Amino acid sequence: PRNLSRRGLLLGGAAGLGAAAAIGIDRAVSTSPSSTQPATHGEQTEPFYGTHQAGIATAPQAHATFYGFDLLDDVDREGLRRMMRLLTDDGARLTQGRAALADSEPELAEVPARLTITFGFGPEFVRRADPSAVPPWLKPLPEFTIDRLQPSWSDGDFLIQVAADDPLTVSHASRMLLKDVRTFASLRWTQKGFRRAHGSEKVGLTMRNLFGQLDGTVNPAPGTEEFDRVVWSQDGWLTGGTGLVIRRIDMDLEGWDEIDRPGREQSVGRTMGTGAPLTGGAELDEPDFEAVNEFGFPIIADYAHVRRARSDNPDEVIFRRAYNYEGEQDTATASNAGQVFAAFQADVDKQFVPIQQRLDELDMLNLWTTPVGSSVFAIPPGCSEGGYIGETLLD
Ligand code: HEM
């Protein structure tokens, strides 16, 4: 079923291209002068309104910036409602290529490039709105032995995820949204992430992380029953929403340099080239966890990341939507890079925590990866035109 899901995703990508081609044909036969312009990728939009917020099931854009905020002391339920109305209004405009309400650079809004804007509520946000409405899992994760968390990369009362295929679009939308927020909250952290630029690769391929690995192969595919079950909450005000764990994970690229290719492949249980399981086949084929080599040792080692990350329990599945990050380096030989690991799931305690606990106990990748930031947010459902994000909690 995992393979089928994955194929579904690829087909989804192909359908998207089909739609774009159809638009191209329309434009070619139309007689209006402006329609002879070729459609650019920058004109593409993702819907803002809907049952779910955009930016989760949306095919990952090339750039994403995550902003974590602390609410100001005097902001109460009514204040939160005002903030969310303002943000919803500007989010709806910007994502459709229209200027924000008080846009200081309206021309920059004209290239949406699949912009999505996604809002998340930390524990304190929900507490201020309604102390009885805090989901039991909406709290800092338990401590793990691998963690070296820095408060400046962790927690937060409120989240905005801004993602698009154009970095200038992300920058402009962010500036507009941060202006809306400033009388309600202060900025706690900013995490910028990237994948390959749009157009560099075929749509729908698995991304590569900064270790060079294909990362995201086994992942529920949007549009499948598995995805809906794993991601969307069915719990009270959060119905149609989800939970988000953001882990900032430092990747020791210099340490990774010292490992040869077989060592790198052993640590995960997949090949570097195609991402196929070490037991053979292609990227999307199932690993054979029972297979042993001529000496009787498992081909996918006991410490391999994919063995440790997988569970027999069908509840323990998450949807990963990670981005690479790279910060300023102090020297040419000390990288400052890693992954903004973002995982969506309906229930963080049931789904994410047991996986992370297993990886904390044993995972070869831990030798080169260190979590330095950690946050948990409730992502409210979407809304329809005239409504606002958060209304199921705040009205
Ligand atoms: C699989 C890399 C952190 C959960 C994989 C794969 C790679 C990878 C290369 C195999 C291909 C794939 O299926 O995507 C990394 C790196 C990490 C990291 C470099 C840190 C920088 C995490 C964390 C979790 C996690 C923190 C969850 C707590 C998973 C899961 C799979 C996976 C669930 C799929 C396992 C399966 O085959 O069923 N990861 N990972 N990973 N990873 Fe990670």
Side-chain angles (χ1 to χ4, degrees), residues 10-24:
L10 289 171
L11 284 177
L17 288 178
I23 293 166

Side-chain angles (χ1 to χ4, degrees), residues 209 213-214 216-218 249 305 309-310 320 341 352 356 359:
N209 63 33
Q213 302 161 324
L214 285 168
T217 300
V218 176
I249 306 179
H305 181 71
R310 189 173 293 199
R320 295 174 287 141
F341 178 94
F352 180 87
Q356 183 63 86
L359 296 178

Side-chain angles (χ1 to χ4, degrees), residues 257-284:
D257 280 346
E258 291 167 18
I259 310 305
D260 62 8
R261 211 164 164 92
R264 292 177 172 199
E265 296 183 332
Q266 284 291 326
S267 70
V268 168
R270 289 180 174 275
T271 67
M272 295 297 299
T274 65
L278 289 183
T279 46
E283 184 195 353
L284 303 181

Side-chain angles (χ1 to χ4, degrees), residues 29-373:
V29 295
S30 165
T31 50
S32 89
S34 65
S35 63
T36 54
Q37 301 278 331
T40 63
H41 185 72
E43 290 170 29
Q44 305 271 331
T45 55
E46 295 288 343
F48 180 81
Y49 296 112
T51 317
H52 313 296
Q53 286 195 71
I56 303 163
T58 310
Q61 299 96 325
H63 303 270
T65 306
F66 301 78
Y67 297 95
F69 300 88
D70 291 325
L71 290 173
L72 301 185
D73 289 343
D74 58 350
V75 175
D76 58 8
R77 186 181 162 96
E78 177 48 34
L80 296 176
R81 195 182 292 139
R82 270 190 291 132
M83 176 175 82
M84 291 314 300
R85 280 191 181 282
L86 208 59
L87 286 169
T88 300
D89 190 51
D90 275 342
R93 288 164 185 271
L94 289 163
T95 54
Q96 303 311 301
R98 290 187 284 128
L101 208 53
D103 207 318
S104 36
E105 291 81 26
E107 292 78 11
L108 290 180
E110 289 169 9
V111 179
R114 297 180 58 236
L115 174 67
T116 57
I117 293 166
T118 316
F119 303 109
F121 303 161
E124 177 62 15
F125 187 115
V126 184
R127 216 172 287 132
R128 284 198 206 176
D130 176 358
S132 68
V134 185
W137 50 260
L138 185 58
K139 55 182 190 257
L141 296 177
E143 280 176 27
F144 300 102
T145 61
I146 51 170
D147 288 356
R148 300 291 177 268
L149 302 184
Q150 297 169 24
S152 54
W153 289 124
S154 301
D155 305 321
D157 303 334
F158 181 56
L159 167 89
I160 309 182
Q161 174 195 285
V162 185
D165 284 328
D166 185 305
L168 188 52
T169 301
V170 172
S171 170
H172 174 68
S174 299
R175 201 165 100 83
M176 293 302 110
L177 299 168
L178 262 68
K179 281 192 197 182
D180 289 342
V181 170
R182 67 185 165 193
T183 50
F184 303 94
S186 60
L187 187 62
R188 183 179 174 85
W189 46 255
T190 302
Q191 305 197 44
K192 280 183 201 271
F194 60 93
R195 293 173 165 227
R196 288 233 186 258
H198 173 80
S200 292
E201 279 185 340
K202 281 188 195 148
V203 175
L205 293 185
T206 307
M207 84 150 184
R208 283 199 190 263
N209 63 33
L210 292 170
F211 283 164
Q213 302 161 324
L214 285 168
D215 191 345
T217 300
V218 176
N219 215 10
T224 61
E225 181 278 325
E226 185 195 23
F227 184 92
D228 292 349
R229 181 171 46 79
V230 166
V231 173
W232 305 126
S233 170
Q234 296 179 11
D235 189 12
W237 69 270
L238 203 56
T239 299
T242 182
L244 169 61
V245 174
I246 301 177
R247 304 273 285 170
R248 186 177 184 84
I249 306 179
D250 175 84
M251 290 162 58
D252 173 13
L253 301 185
E254 286 69 37
W256 188 246
D257 280 346
E258 291 167 18
I259 310 305
D260 62 8
R261 211 164 164 92
R264 292 177 172 199
E265 296 183 332
Q266 284 291 326
S267 70
V268 168
R270 289 180 174 275
T271 67
M272 295 297 299
T274 65
L278 289 183
T279 46
E283 184 195 353
L284 303 181
D285 288 331
E286 279 293 294
D288 178 356
F289 290 110
E290 308 299 320
V292 292
N293 64 18
E294 63 207 274
F295 307 109
F297 290 113
I299 293 178
I300 296 176
D302 292 338
Y303 53 70
H305 181 71
V306 297
R307 186 189 283 277
R308 301 296 298 164
R310 189 173 293 199
S311 170
D312 295 335
N313 181 344
D315 283 344
E316 294 177 11
V317 180
I318 57 179
F319 173 61
R320 295 174 287 141
R321 198 176 187 279
Y323 280 87
N324 303 304
Y325 77 76
E326 193 180 19
E328 306 292 319
Q329 301 194 186
D330 290 336
T331 69
T333 51
S335 61
N336 174 11
Q339 190 165 101
V340 185
F341 178 94
F344 294 92
Q345 57 278 298
D347 186 322
V348 172
D349 279 348
K350 271 203 193 123
Q351 297 172 259
F352 180 87
V353 171
I355 302 174
Q356 183 63 86
Q357 263 157 354
R358 263 199 320 281
L359 296 178
D360 190 40
E361 283 159 18
L362 177 66
D363 173 11
M364 191 70 158
L365 267 192
N366 289 340
L367 284 179
W368 308 281
T369 59
T370 310
V372 294

